[in-house]
Tab-separated table of all heavy atoms in Angstrom:
chain	number	residue	atom	x	y	z
A	274	GLU	N	24.714	56.086	-39.763
A	274	GLU	CA	23.509	55.302	-40.015
A	274	GLU	C	23.861	53.979	-40.709
A	274	GLU	O	23.398	52.923	-40.315
A	274	GLU	CB	22.558	56.140	-40.887
A	274	GLU	CG	21.133	55.756	-40.735
A	274	GLU	CD	20.239	56.655	-41.573
A	274	GLU	OE1	20.762	57.554	-42.258
A	274	GLU	OE2	19.020	56.438	-41.555
A	275	ASP	N	24.719	54.083	-41.745
A	275	ASP	CA	25.165	52.860	-42.453
A	275	ASP	C	25.753	51.844	-41.486
A	275	ASP	O	25.595	50.640	-41.652
A	275	ASP	CB	26.318	53.168	-43.432
A	275	ASP	CG	25.893	54.057	-44.575
A	275	ASP	OD1	24.684	54.138	-44.832
A	275	ASP	OD2	26.805	54.693	-45.199
A	276	LEU	N	26.469	52.378	-40.499
A	276	LEU	CA	27.191	51.494	-39.581
A	276	LEU	C	26.301	51.022	-38.437
A	276	LEU	O	26.741	50.285	-37.558
A	276	LEU	CB	28.420	52.222	-39.033
A	276	LEU	CG	29.428	52.679	-40.096
A	276	LEU	CD1	30.457	53.618	-39.512
A	276	LEU	CD2	30.113	51.474	-40.737
A	277	GLY	N	25.045	51.464	-38.438
A	277	GLY	CA	24.107	50.982	-37.420
A	277	GLY	C	24.270	51.640	-36.060
A	277	GLY	O	23.933	51.047	-35.025
A	278	ILE	N	24.775	52.884	-36.031
A	278	ILE	CA	24.933	53.571	-34.750
A	278	ILE	C	23.675	54.379	-34.450
A	278	ILE	O	23.304	55.264	-35.206
A	278	ILE	CB	26.205	54.458	-34.781
A	278	ILE	CG1	27.438	53.537	-34.864
A	278	ILE	CG2	26.260	55.372	-33.568
A	278	ILE	CD1	28.744	54.245	-34.860
A	279	ASP	N	23.050	54.089	-33.317
A	279	ASP	CA	21.805	54.775	-32.950
A	279	ASP	C	22.108	55.998	-32.092
A	279	ASP	O	23.280	56.370	-31.910
A	279	ASP	CB	20.849	53.812	-32.220
A	279	ASP	CG	21.400	53.323	-30.896
A	279	ASP	OD1	22.455	53.825	-30.463
A	279	ASP	OD2	20.758	52.457	-30.266
A	280	SER	N	21.061	56.648	-31.571
A	280	SER	CA	21.272	57.928	-30.870
A	280	SER	C	22.152	57.756	-29.637
A	280	SER	O	22.998	58.603	-29.351
A	280	SER	CB	19.913	58.530	-30.495
A	280	SER	OG	19.236	57.658	-29.604
A	281	LEU	N	21.951	56.666	-28.915
A	281	LEU	CA	22.765	56.448	-27.709
A	281	LEU	C	24.214	56.155	-28.121
A	281	LEU	O	25.158	56.610	-27.475
A	281	LEU	CB	22.168	55.266	-26.931
A	281	LEU	CG	22.304	55.304	-25.419
A	281	LEU	CD1	21.744	56.565	-24.842
A	281	LEU	CD2	21.590	54.099	-24.808
A	282	GLY	N	24.386	55.395	-29.210
A	282	GLY	CA	25.713	55.088	-29.711
A	282	GLY	C	26.435	56.361	-30.160
A	282	GLY	O	27.648	56.494	-29.971
A	283	LEU	N	25.662	57.281	-30.717
A	283	LEU	CA	26.243	58.562	-31.162
A	283	LEU	C	26.758	59.364	-29.974
A	283	LEU	O	27.879	59.882	-29.989
A	283	LEU	CB	25.184	59.345	-31.937
A	283	LEU	CG	25.545	60.762	-32.380
A	283	LEU	CD1	26.815	60.739	-33.236
A	283	LEU	CD2	24.393	61.373	-33.156
A	284	VAL	N	25.938	59.443	-28.923
A	284	VAL	CA	26.350	60.193	-27.727
A	284	VAL	C	27.612	59.564	-27.128
A	284	VAL	O	28.543	60.246	-26.710
A	284	VAL	CB	25.196	60.235	-26.679
A	284	VAL	CG1	25.686	60.802	-25.367
A	284	VAL	CG2	24.036	61.057	-27.216
A	285	GLU	N	27.662	58.229	-27.148
A	285	GLU	CA	28.818	57.522	-26.588
A	285	GLU	C	30.054	57.747	-27.468
A	285	GLU	O	31.158	57.905	-26.961
A	285	GLU	CB	28.484	56.037	-26.470
A	285	GLU	CG	29.097	55.404	-25.248
A	285	GLU	CD	28.788	53.915	-25.137
A	285	GLU	OE1	27.827	53.448	-25.787
A	285	GLU	OE2	29.525	53.234	-24.420
A	286	SER	N	29.859	57.770	-28.796
A	286	SER	CA	30.977	58.005	-29.697
A	286	SER	C	31.566	59.385	-29.471
A	286	SER	O	32.784	59.589	-29.487
A	286	SER	CB	30.519	57.900	-31.164
A	286	SER	OG	29.932	56.652	-31.402
A	287	ILE	N	30.665	60.379	-29.302
A	287	ILE	CA	31.152	61.739	-29.105
A	287	ILE	C	31.920	61.859	-27.798
A	287	ILE	O	32.960	62.513	-27.731
A	287	ILE	CB	29.974	62.733	-29.203
A	287	ILE	CG1	29.567	62.806	-30.678
A	287	ILE	CG2	30.351	64.102	-28.672
A	287	ILE	CD1	28.449	63.713	-30.998
A	288	PHE	N	31.428	61.179	-26.797
A	288	PHE	CA	32.173	61.135	-25.536
A	288	PHE	C	33.565	60.547	-25.728
A	288	PHE	O	34.566	61.105	-25.262
A	288	PHE	CB	31.379	60.298	-24.501
A	288	PHE	CG	32.154	59.968	-23.257
A	288	PHE	CD1	32.447	60.935	-22.327
A	288	PHE	CD2	32.597	58.672	-23.038
A	288	PHE	CE1	33.183	60.632	-21.175
A	288	PHE	CE2	33.324	58.349	-21.896
A	288	PHE	CZ	33.598	59.327	-20.965
A	289	ALA	N	33.650	59.445	-26.476
A	289	ALA	CA	34.925	58.788	-26.721
A	289	ALA	C	35.862	59.723	-27.502
A	289	ALA	O	37.069	59.780	-27.260
A	289	ALA	CB	34.722	57.474	-27.468
A	290	ILE	N	35.301	60.460	-28.465
A	290	ILE	CA	36.106	61.398	-29.259
A	290	ILE	C	36.635	62.517	-28.363
A	290	ILE	O	37.821	62.879	-28.427
A	290	ILE	CB	35.254	61.968	-30.425
A	290	ILE	CG1	35.003	60.877	-31.471
A	290	ILE	CG2	35.932	63.198	-31.039
A	290	ILE	CD1	33.976	61.261	-32.530
A	291	GLU	N	35.788	63.036	-27.491
A	291	GLU	CA	36.216	64.100	-26.581
A	291	GLU	C	37.354	63.620	-25.681
A	291	GLU	O	38.307	64.349	-25.430
A	291	GLU	CB	35.038	64.582	-25.724
A	291	GLU	CG	34.026	65.359	-26.520
A	291	GLU	CD	32.887	65.965	-25.657
A	291	GLU	OE1	32.594	65.373	-24.606
A	291	GLU	OE2	32.371	66.997	-26.034
A	292	GLU	N	37.202	62.396	-25.195
A	292	GLU	CA	38.237	61.848	-24.302
A	292	GLU	C	39.546	61.602	-25.046
A	292	GLU	O	40.613	61.900	-24.555
A	292	GLU	CB	37.738	60.532	-23.703
A	292	GLU	CG	36.674	60.679	-22.631
A	292	GLU	CD	37.226	61.225	-21.319
A	292	GLU	OE1	37.890	60.484	-20.576
A	292	GLU	OE2	37.001	62.424	-21.057
A	293	ALA	N	39.445	61.081	-26.295
A	293	ALA	CA	40.630	60.724	-27.041
A	293	ALA	C	41.427	61.955	-27.446
A	293	ALA	O	42.662	61.932	-27.445
A	293	ALA	CB	40.228	59.920	-28.289
A	294	PHE	N	40.744	63.033	-27.820
A	294	PHE	CA	41.444	64.215	-28.342
A	294	PHE	C	41.488	65.369	-27.341
A	294	PHE	O	42.015	66.439	-27.679
A	294	PHE	CB	40.800	64.667	-29.661
A	294	PHE	CG	40.883	63.628	-30.737
A	294	PHE	CD1	39.782	62.808	-31.034
A	294	PHE	CD2	42.058	63.431	-31.453
A	294	PHE	CE1	39.855	61.840	-32.000
A	294	PHE	CE2	42.142	62.445	-32.431
A	294	PHE	CZ	41.041	61.653	-32.714
A	295	ASP	N	40.906	65.173	-26.176
A	295	ASP	CA	40.841	66.207	-25.156
A	295	ASP	C	40.234	67.489	-25.718
A	295	ASP	O	40.830	68.580	-25.648
A	295	ASP	CB	42.240	66.464	-24.568
A	295	ASP	CG	42.163	67.308	-23.298
A	295	ASP	OD1	41.095	67.329	-22.687
A	295	ASP	OD2	43.188	67.924	-22.944
A	296	ILE	N	39.079	67.338	-26.320
A	296	ILE	CA	38.374	68.503	-26.897
A	296	ILE	C	36.925	68.499	-26.397
A	296	ILE	O	36.436	67.513	-25.853
A	296	ILE	CB	38.355	68.468	-28.455
A	296	ILE	CG1	37.816	67.107	-28.942
A	296	ILE	CG2	39.726	68.768	-29.013
A	296	ILE	CD1	37.546	67.045	-30.426
Side-chain angles (χ1 to χ4, degrees):
Chain A
E274 205 177 0
D275 294 341
L276 300 169
I278 292 181
D279 65 6
S280 62
L281 212 54
L283 174 58
V284 171
E285 216 181 341
S286 304
I287 288 180
F288 168 71
I290 289 170
E291 289 186 331
E292 286 287 285
F294 298 101
D295 193 21
I296 52 171

